[in-house]
Amino acid sequence: VRTLSTPARPPVARILTIGDELTFGEVVDRNKAHMARRCRALGLVVESMVTVRDRVDEIVDALHDAAFRAGVEVVLCSGGLGPTTDDLTAQAVARAAGVPLQRDPESLARLETLFAARGREVLEINRKQADLPAGGAVLANPIGTAPGFAVELIPGDHAGQHGMVPSGRAPCLVCCMPGVPREMHRMLSEQVEPRLRERLALDPAPARVYRVFGRGESQVQEAITPALRELASSSVALAAVLVHYRAHQGEVLVQLEATRASTGERATEVDLIGFDAPFRDALGRDLYGIGEADLPTRIVRAAAAAGVRIAGAESCTGGLASSLLTAIPGASACFVGTHVTYTNAAKAAHLGVSEDLLAAHGAVSQPVAEEMARGAQRAFAADIAFAITGIAGPDGGTADKPVGTVHLAVAERDGQVVHRRVRLPGDRDFIRRTASLGALRLVWDGLVDRGVATTDHSSAD
Amino acid sequence: VRTLSTPARPPVARILTIGDELTFGEVVDRNKAHMARRCRALGLVVESMVTVRDRVDEIVDALHDAAFRAGVEVVLCSGGLGPTTDDLTAQAVARAAGVPLQRDPESLARLETLFAARGREVLEINRKQADLPAGGAVLANPIGTAPGFAVELIPGDHAGQHGMVPSGRAPCLVCCMPGVPREMHRMLSEQVEPRLRERLALDPAPARVYRVFGRGESQVQEAITPALRELASSSVALAAVLVHYRAHQGEVLVQLEATRASTGERATEVDLIGFDAPFRDALGRDLYGIGEADLPTRIVRAAAAAGVRIAGAESCTGGLASSLLTAIPGASACFVGTHVTYTNAAKAAHLGVSEDLLAAHGAVSQPVAEEMARGAQRAFAADIAFAITGIAGPDGGTADKPVGTVHLAVAERDGQVVHRRVRLPGDRDFIRRTASLGALRLVWDGLVDRGVATTDHSSAD
């Protein structure tokens, strides 16, 4: 255990994900982002992230590179703990640490109990999951068969091989977790993070995020730059606040990170709150929220708390907007239902959009979007209903209504309707997602108008 | 250009993604998987993938490590080509190659035209995007402002720094693309891949993938092992076929990869087709398809070709199953619509599920799932309609109906209904996704039953 005084250099973690399915590109690696996000929240710096194949020598190289060449304090690994012949992480870590594999009796007993409960026979390939590097700590996996483990790599042991190891360097802790995301998430929070907090002098930088929908990255930057200049000139600590911009699915995130000035001063969480008011002034309603909670999360929380019932009508997004809302736990407290109407006949039958209106304006039009929203409001006796109709492509565009043309509308119980037309760039996925978020933005504005939603700080969980 | 004879060792590519948003974990990095998939299709081996921050020295290190220490032939980079101060990739590549940055007149002219068309002023930070490493090749970006570039790193130039460079090693081609996925995808296929094909002796390994839904990884392995043994014993080439298993969202993929035997023999694409019949026998209906096309893609293609109209009724999945179908281009040729009914009242009003039935069995039950499917079939005059009702969690479970209990049903126009109850492990996201795919699997079975769908090989595009 190191001293808990503020370190001059924050501890560095490397993230290592292991698996042929990753280097083959068959799986999008979400584990990396999750581990990186947690590292940042803990105050660990992630300088680089590496993915290697299921090959013992390549995993060993990656571990030695992190521990001995780069001198990182922690390696967080996921993947390669399964029962099959291409799961080689335990073997590789044992070799990297210069220890044998040992069958862990407790892990084996747990495996046997688990298999018995499922009425399955324990095969030798299953027992292999209890073979862990000797001398390591077992990381319990309450929701899966593969236990994780934590092992120390001691630089001195391998100095000869690498020739770049300063003497007296601290050991590197290698924490190996399963590749199954939910098992990894839980092991990281319950088993790994407490160990890291105890072992390392962690001092996370105060941070704050502002969420903007409806302006591009450079427009956001332009709008808030005067406020940023003024704040930066007010103190050494505020001048050392870094500002990052991130564009994502039509949304822009402005992230503040309080770094330490050369004087050692650093802005506090409370100091960062001082950015809220000037940013609200500069961005108006496009600043929909502060904090980690995203748009669907904020909508579900605000509407559920206020007892506002939300419904929808979707054409080109085909259920995606509703799926984004219902992905949020507790959505049933506000979301009532949606009619996904892909055909004109379905729009007429279920949303009461008249055939005349469809014939006169086409399905992708302001009047139809507005009628769809009204229809959904009535069909579900909702307080607020959104509607989306557009051309997601790749086909179906015309000179008049090119691919990316989307009409959004929101209808309130009192009959009031708000409409917006957007022309979105990008491919089918981007258009569908941005259109869905655009409709949810209109719902959000409706909640703000009725005074049940604010941009106040709100965390993800 | 090298000789085009079959290389003893296939060329190795490293994938490098650049950006603080990645090492902060704010963005799930999909670019890596895309580049890796394309590499594999081209016959390039990806041994490892690296992500670094927007720091010049760290990008330079990562490039030198790839080109000089690991000796890879190609580095595919994405990210860091934007206009802001934290976009440093061009600067880093120039330094790694030992060349200055030079403003490219053609790229600048294109930028100016683009901005003029949008009525925007070109700022100096925008012009910076035309500053490219001298001597490199420009990679056109027809859909964005940042051009890419390709630069050679010559090992000999930096041997002194690294001390591990064998003389006479071939130069490493570094290809830098934007981080915006659709811009990267297009630049990779139009600009980078042709260069790689011309430059390298590429010889992709024949491969074939089998898609299984409804069995676990080890059950699949057990079922096909006898067939694999028999095939492997029939020839040296077939014995050298590697088999990978991958479990993903309730689905298992079995992947064959024809590697070269020590004799130099290798199975051909045609040889691999020989696995189809024994796998079909061993896996029955759970083998829903062969090739890259996934379940939603196959359903849309088969139903559209046969003129089968699909509708849905979703409760706990809240639109996700419909969203998976409508994500496929051309879905409008078969998908009609879905009623997302989150409340009992909505199930009664729009799907005709009687209040009595709901009161007697609860919303999560076989009779309600079946009525929902029948209701959707009627409401949309569909040929086949799926229904999903279950408990996605985290709350709402009971001893009798724990979280993860889902009832799926499919109703045909003739009144026939198929029901399946599943108990899914995992979190809300996993349950919603697997339940959605489970319903689509029943739709698929319905299409197979009517003879309009087969497990035949089908590619992704």
Side-chain angles (χ1 to χ4, degrees), chain B residues 30-62:
Chain B
R30 298 172 174 278
N31 285 353
K32 262 207 212 79
H34 181 84
M35 290 190 277
R37 213 160 39 236
R38 291 306 310 153
C39 283
R40 193 176 187 208
L42 286 167
L44 281 159
V45 172
V46 176
E47 291 178 349
S48 74
M49 312 197 281
V50 176
T51 303
V52 297
R53 303 188 290 181
D54 292 304
R55 309 276 167 115
V56 170
D57 53 343
E58 296 175 10
I59 302 169
V60 171
D61 272 355

Side-chain angles (χ1 to χ4, degrees), chain A residues 25-27 30 37 40 48-49 51 69 246 255 318 323 326-327 336-340 342 350 379 428 432, chain B residues 25-27 30 37 40 48-49 51 65 246 255 318 322-323 326 336-340 342 350 379 428 432:
Chain A
E26 289 159 1
V27 171
R30 299 171 173 280
R37 212 160 41 236
R40 193 177 188 206
S48 74
M49 313 196 282
T51 302
R69 203 169 72 101
R246 180 159 78 77
Q255 294 167 306
S323 181
T326 55
V336 196
T338 286
H339 287 329
V340 180
Y342 231 50
H350 303 299
R428 184 176 178 93
R432 283 163 40 93
Chain B
E26 288 159 2
V27 171
R30 298 172 174 278
R37 213 160 39 236
R40 193 176 187 208
S48 74
M49 312 197 281
T51 303
D65 186 73
R246 181 160 77 78
Q255 293 165 309
S322 307
S323 181
T326 54
V336 195
T338 286
H339 287 329
V340 180
Y342 230 50
H350 303 299
R428 184 176 177 92
R432 284 163 40 91

Side-chain angles (χ1 to χ4, degrees), chain B residues 371-396:
Chain B
E371 270 309 293
M372 287 172 66
R374 283 193 198 98
Q377 187 277 321
R378 280 193 310 271
F380 292 99
D383 296 306
I384 186 165
F386 63 86
I388 306 166
T389 179
I391 301 158
D395 304 317

Side-chain angles (χ1 to χ4, degrees), chain A residues 250-269:
Chain A
E251 171 171 83
V252 175
L253 303 186
V254 181
Q255 294 167 306
L256 304 182
E257 184 186 3
T259 64
R260 224 167 264 288
S262 55
T263 59
E265 286 172 87
R266 187 172 75 176
T268 63
E269 300 276 356

